[in-house]
Amino acid sequence: MNLTKSDATAREFVAIPDDLKFRWQGKMTANQWISGNTRLRARSRLAAASWPGNIDAGSRVCAMLTDNAARHGKPLYGGLIGLRLMCPRESDDLIIEVDDAAPDFPAFEESATKVLDDGQPSGLGWVRRCHGRIAWRVRRDDDGQIVGKTVQVVLPSATTDLA
């Protein structure tokens, strides 16, 4: 995948170090159960990795991201949404990346800060509630063709309110 700086949108991505404490990647089926299935898989992976952060909050953010990709993006080949969980050695942050086949993200800033009438964050608003940082960029294949987008969230391990 060959991404250029001009492909970065809204905020810059955090570089993924080569040496990670933990890395897991999988694909989630883009159906009505994606949120619950993602939450269960992410929770068990984060617990097995002994991530010191709020595992419920981390798994909830993963679920919101994959659900948003399935609802508002476009599934990858086979009706799937890509999910990666990573923890760098030099910090206890959790890096979450979600891939879908839609190359755009209309109203990104509005979506990332929206609050529902009942005061609850909607979708990407959970990232902010968890004190996370969010960015997105287009994905390109080895030939430079745009094949979708990646949404990246960095969650700090030290969050007290939430989930």
Side-chain angles (χ1 to χ4, degrees), residues 16 22-23 26 48-49 52 54 64 70 72 76 96 103 123 129 148 159 162:
I16 306 298
F22 169 74
R23 179 184 183 97
N54 183 326
M64 293 294 181
H72 307 295
L76 302 168
I96 304 164
R129 184 171 179 182
T159 53
L162 207 295

Side-chain angles (χ1 to χ4, degrees), residues 58 61-62 65 83-85 94-97 151-153 155:
V61 169
C62 290
L65 293 173
L83 174 64
R84 286 181 299 286
L85 306 175
L94 172 64
I95 301 170
I96 304 164
E97 291 185 343
V151 175
Q152 183 189 70
V153 169
L155 286 182

Side-chain angles (χ1 to χ4, degrees), residues 67-95:
D67 185 65
N68 281 347
R71 288 179 190 236
H72 307 295
K74 179 181 173 187
L76 302 168
Y77 181 77
L80 302 171
I81 301 296
L83 174 64
R84 286 181 299 286
L85 306 175
M86 298 161 280
C87 295
R89 287 210 180 276
E90 69 277 357
S91 77
D92 286 328
D93 292 346
L94 172 64
I95 301 170

Side-chain angles (χ1 to χ4, degrees), residues 3 7-9 103-104 136-140 146 148-150:
L3 294 168
D7 291 334
T9 306
D104 58 350
W136 76 276
R137 65 180 174 198
V138 298
R139 291 179 45 241
R140 295 181 181 271
I146 294 175
K149 71 175 167 291
T150 299

Side-chain angles (χ1 to χ4, degrees), residues 130-147:
C130 296
H131 308 288
R133 297 183 313 270
I134 186 168
W136 76 276
R137 65 180 174 198
V138 298
R139 291 179 45 241
R140 295 181 181 271
D141 65 14
D142 293 336
D143 296 324
Q145 298 297 310
I146 294 175
V147 295

Side-chain angles (χ1 to χ4, degrees), residues 95-115:
I95 301 170
I96 304 164
E97 291 185 343
V98 173
D99 299 327
D100 72 61
D104 58 350
F105 201 137
F108 172 74
E109 289 296 329
E110 179 184 339
S111 299
T113 59
K114 187 175 182 178
V115 176

